Amino acid sequence: MGQQEKVSTSLAGAVSEGISASLAAVDAELDRRYPGDPGTRQPVHTVYVPGNVFDAGTIRSWGDQALAALDEHAPDAASFAAVLGLSDDLAEDVYGRVRAKLEREPIEDLRVDFEDGYAGQDEDQDAARAARLISEAYANGTAAPYMGIRMKCMEAAVRDRGIRTTDVFLTGLLENGGLPGGLVLTLPKVTYPEQVSAFVRLLESFEKAHGLDAGRLGFEIQIETSQAILAADGTATVARMIGAAEGRATGLHYGTFDYSACLGVSAAHQASDHPAADHAKAIMQVAAAGTGVRVSDGSTNVLPVGSTAHVHEAWRLHYGLTRRALSRAYYQGWDMHPGHIPTRYAAVFAFYREGFETAAKRLSAYANHAGGDVMDEPATAKALSSYLLRGLQCGALDTAEVDALTGMTRADVERFAAPRRGDLTATAQ
């Protein structure tokens, strides 16, 4: 070692202590408001099924219908790749993974709908039945990883009905074995933060009534009105909604058609790639960043049904919109029909397979301080590992190939993907 340099300082330790003391409240606020990503799995999509239609065979039925659509309109990898423009080196792998996914886990997140999609005559009975069927599905291993309901909103005309359905459903879950780990509740058409606060009070009351841990029940907020993005005073309402949820908000879901209609967008142009949609989702994304609340894109209402030519056209549209969303870091969206599922998984799998090798090598170089042709920083290491982890979670990537190319275990990848505050900076040093 060479000669060590003399290190001198000019400030007393009390200066540093004083600065830290002055920022203590800010430190606490950062930890409270911006805890970072929870590190749990985020589903790649949400499927909505009306409460009067949902039954014990719904998930398997959607998978079978999706497989039948492939058999009829793209019976092999080459034909599917030709429709979607998949490269030759991806065609067989993506097609095989799509079919395997439809057999094993056709739906990652299912919401039994008691709002816009509901047309039943006895909502109490349908909500109680949904609770029983979901409990049975988790007990017998046929459930989707995430399941729950979308109740009616907190607006005056339907508020009591929404509260009652939530109560019936949650009570039914407790009577049929307890609250499942994958439980998700979705609150639609939120316009004011006070409506979020009201739903928090509802969940608090339910927890207290049953002796549940405080905060056990979380929920998603659907963004379907212009007022949810921009308040009358010019502030970003959605940011205030996250705060009003008091740590219970798990997601922000963009409602393509309600939001578009609210802005006066004509029906022919209501789509998730409309400039109005991009603006809303960008605000949602910034408001949610660092809070642990995830953002979901909306859906397309162009259904892949009818002639093969029309199915192919609808598939190309859905595939393109899904790839566009993924590139913009919207890792979840809605699917409205079984025929959408093949292209949802094809888009997701292609997205992660295409960038897998580069991401794995960059993460390995960063972790081993090996350098390379890209200089990555701690935040980029987090993004790289999150990319790989999402690919593993949905089935686009396999653990063995990630381990082989990164030289890291899955636990290592998870640690980089969801670090505690300051962990990556310390690692980089």
Side-chain angles (χ1 to χ4, degrees):
M1 294 180 62
Q3 181 179 355
Q4 291 191 343
E5 295 290 340
K6 177 184 176 182
V7 178
S8 302
T9 62
S10 301
L11 301 177
V15 174
S16 178
E17 293 171 3
I19 290 174
S20 293
S22 72
L23 292 174
V26 171
D27 293 340
E29 185 75 347
L30 279 171
D31 288 338
R32 184 179 73 83
R33 287 188 179 274
Y34 301 103
D37 189 88
T40 54
R41 176 181 180 181
Q42 181 180 11
V44 302
H45 69 169
T46 301
V47 164
Y48 282 83
V49 178
N52 55 299
V53 173
F54 174 70
D55 62 31
T58 293
I59 294 175
R60 187 61 264 153
S61 173
W62 274 59
D64 290 343
Q65 290 179 68
L67 285 165
L70 281 178
D71 290 340
E72 180 177 358
H73 303 293
D76 52 47
S79 57
F80 196 50
V83 173
L84 304 182
L86 292 171
S87 61
D88 291 343
D89 60 327
L90 282 178
E92 291 286 348
D93 190 19
V94 168
Y95 189 76
R97 287 177 185 272
V98 167
R99 294 196 69 98
K101 181 77 169 181
L102 296 176
E103 292 281 3
R104 181 185 73 256
E105 189 180 72
I107 295 176
E108 291 197 358
D109 183 29
L110 185 144
R111 209 70 71 250
V112 183
D113 191 14
F114 291 96
E115 204 232 353
D116 285 348
Y118 181 68
Q121 300 301 311
D122 192 335
E123 191 161 334
D124 278 358
Q125 285 295 308
D126 287 338
R129 182 170 59 90
R132 175 178 57 81
L133 292 175
I134 288 174
S135 295
E136 291 174 356
Y138 276 106
N140 63 29
T142 61
Y146 298 94
M147 299 184 75
I149 65 167
R150 176 171 70 169
M151 69 292 296
K152 290 178 174 62
C153 68
M154 288 286 107
E155 293 180 357
V158 295
R159 183 184 302 139
D160 289 345
R161 180 65 261 180
I163 290 172
R164 182 173 175 85
T165 295
T166 304
D167 187 6
V168 169
F169 176 70
L170 293 175
T171 301
L173 289 178
L174 290 178
E175 291 176 345
N176 286 277
L179 303 179
L183 173 64
V184 187
L185 305 174
T186 304
L187 179 65
K189 293 184 174 62
V190 183
T191 304
Y192 283 81
E194 289 81 0
Q195 293 168 330
V196 174
S197 297
F199 198 65
V200 169
R201 301 288 86 79
L202 170 63
L203 299 182
E204 283 180 340
S205 298
F206 189 89
E207 290 166 349
K208 291 176 181 176
H210 292 278
L212 301 173
D213 291 340
R216 169 63 181 85
L217 295 167
F219 60 98
E220 301 166 334
I221 301 169
Q222 278 197 276
I223 306 300
E224 302 175 271
T225 66
S226 61
Q227 296 91 340
I229 295 298
L230 191 68
D233 62 1
T235 60
T237 316
V238 65
R240 294 169 56 208
M241 288 177 179
I242 293 173
E246 300 178 22
R248 294 177 185 264
T250 59
L252 301 174
H253 284 228
Y254 175 68
T256 304
F257 306 106
D258 281 286
Y259 187 87
S260 298
C262 183
L263 268 62
V265 178
S266 62
H269 297 282
Q270 293 178 0
S272 62
D273 59 351
H274 189 280
D278 285 341
H279 172 261
K281 287 179 288 188
I283 299 298
M284 292 162 60
Q285 190 174 49
V286 173
T291 66
V293 178
R294 279 130 169 203
V295 175
S296 173
D297 199 2
S299 59
T300 174
N301 59 359
V302 179
L303 304 184
V305 297
S307 68
T308 294
H310 179 76
V311 169
H312 286 182
E313 182 180 357
W315 274 353
R316 280 190 289 269
L317 173 65
H318 185 245
Y319 178 86
L321 290 173
T322 303
R323 286 301 303 261
R324 183 180 189 272
L326 289 167
S327 71
R328 286 159 171 76
Y330 307 132
Y331 298 112
Q332 185 176 355
W334 300 2
D335 287 327
M336 301 182 69
H337 187 274
H340 285 143
I341 303 181
T343 39
R344 169 70 60 183
Y345 290 131
V348 171
F349 293 167
F351 176 75
Y352 290 110
R353 301 283 328 158
E354 286 172 359
F356 162 55
E357 184 173 342
T358 298
K361 289 181 177 178
R362 284 177 64 179
L363 182 61
S364 177
Y366 176 87
N368 293 294
H369 306 281
D373 59 359
V374 179
M375 182 179 292
D376 287 320
E377 297 183 348
T380 306
K382 180 182 185 301
L384 292 167
S385 53
S386 295
Y387 174 88
L388 297 175
L389 185 58
R390 289 178 183 277
L392 286 167
Q393 289 169 338
C394 70
L397 306 176
D398 301 322
T399 300
E401 62 181 347
V402 173
D403 288 354
L405 209 54
T406 61
M408 301 165 63
T409 66
R410 179 159 178 165
D412 292 331
V413 175
E414 290 173 347
R415 178 174 61 84
F416 275 99
R420 294 184 301 275
R421 188 177 300 280
D423 276 2
L424 285 182
T425 301
T427 301
Q429 295 171 348

